[in-house]
Amino acid sequence: MRRSSRKPLEPFSARGRTALYDAVSEGLHHLQYGHPEKKALIIISDGGDNASHLKYSQVLAQARQSQALIYSIALVGSDNEEENPGLLRRLCKDTGGIAYFPRAGESVTNVSTQIARDLREQYTLGYAPPNMKRADAFRKIEVKVGAPGRGRLHVRTREGYSLAAVKQPTAQLGSETR
């Protein structure tokens, strides 16, 4: 049996151009090939973007339409002037996800476990609006929860939703048509 010469991931410093918005857009597009019930995209990044063709507003609109939750594992603190942890925080909050900032020595595996737990412990609420006109319009929501004798409860929600239907792909990834 031959042993692999691969080494585990080691810390490294990436240099050059980063197209974060374009990559997030591509990830959101890829999610349409999965099951439509619950979608999540996990970004591992420092939040910097200096090469995207898309803008934040375009990626946010795409994320809202896909109804995907975006989580991030922020790799910040390397004195890179292009780091943008605020962007990761905002993108996650705007889609109902969470931005994680691992402490020194905390592994990405531990954070991934927290994200998996968060996804398992979520509830989905449904609502059919009386006004079905303008399916592409973004509708803001506010969710309030109370439970007598339970103290203050924390609820994390998206800012709203869009009625625009999520298009199903016509071909699966990796399949060929001849």
Side-chain angles (χ1 to χ4, degrees):
M1 178 180 269
R2 188 168 179 231
R3 290 192 169 208
S4 172
S5 62
R6 291 184 182 175
K7 295 179 181 178
L9 289 177
E10 296 177 11
F12 65 93
S13 179
R15 301 275 185 241
R17 312 234 341 124
T18 303
L20 179 62
Y21 296 148
D22 293 351
V24 170
S25 175
E26 189 62 32
L28 290 168
H29 176 73
H30 184 76
L31 287 178
Q32 74 180 347
Y33 294 100
H35 299 289
E37 296 85 32
K38 189 182 281 189
K39 299 175 188 171
L41 181 66
I42 301 172
I43 302 167
I44 301 174
S45 173
D46 66 0
D49 186 317
N50 57 14
S52 285
H53 298 286
L54 297 173
K55 296 179 180 165
Y56 179 82
S57 60
Q58 294 171 300
V59 172
L60 179 59
Q62 184 182 1
R64 285 176 169 169
Q65 189 168 9
S66 75
Q67 298 186 7
L69 298 169
I70 297 180
Y71 291 82
S72 69
I73 301 173
L75 304 177
V76 295
S78 65
D79 296 329
N80 180 352
E81 20 182 276
E82 300 216 5
E83 288 182 351
N84 191 348
L87 169 98
L88 296 172
R89 200 176 277 116
R90 185 173 65 163
L91 184 59
C92 293
K93 182 180 184 295
D94 286 348
T95 62
I98 302 172
Y100 289 91
F101 296 86
R103 293 182 189 90
E106 186 177 14
S107 74
V108 171
T109 303
N110 290 345
V111 177
S112 299
T113 301
Q114 292 174 35
I115 293 171
R117 184 179 309 114
D118 187 69
L119 289 168
R120 278 193 311 274
E121 294 175 353
Q122 290 178 358
Y123 290 93
T124 301
L125 301 176
Y127 171 73
N131 180 0
M132 298 295 281
K133 294 178 183 173
R134 294 205 52 220
D136 62 335
F138 182 74
R139 295 169 171 154
K140 291 195 173 238
I141 60 170
E142 182 179 6
V143 177
K144 295 180 181 180
V145 178
R150 301 283 281 175
R152 185 174 178 203
L153 299 174
H154 174 74
V155 177
R156 188 180 75 248
T157 64
R158 299 175 194 192
E159 286 188 357
Y161 67 96
S162 173
L163 289 177
V166 178
K167 296 178 184 175
Q168 293 299 317
T170 56
Q172 294 294 326
L173 283 179
S175 64
E176 294 181 15
T177 46
R178 295 179 195 225

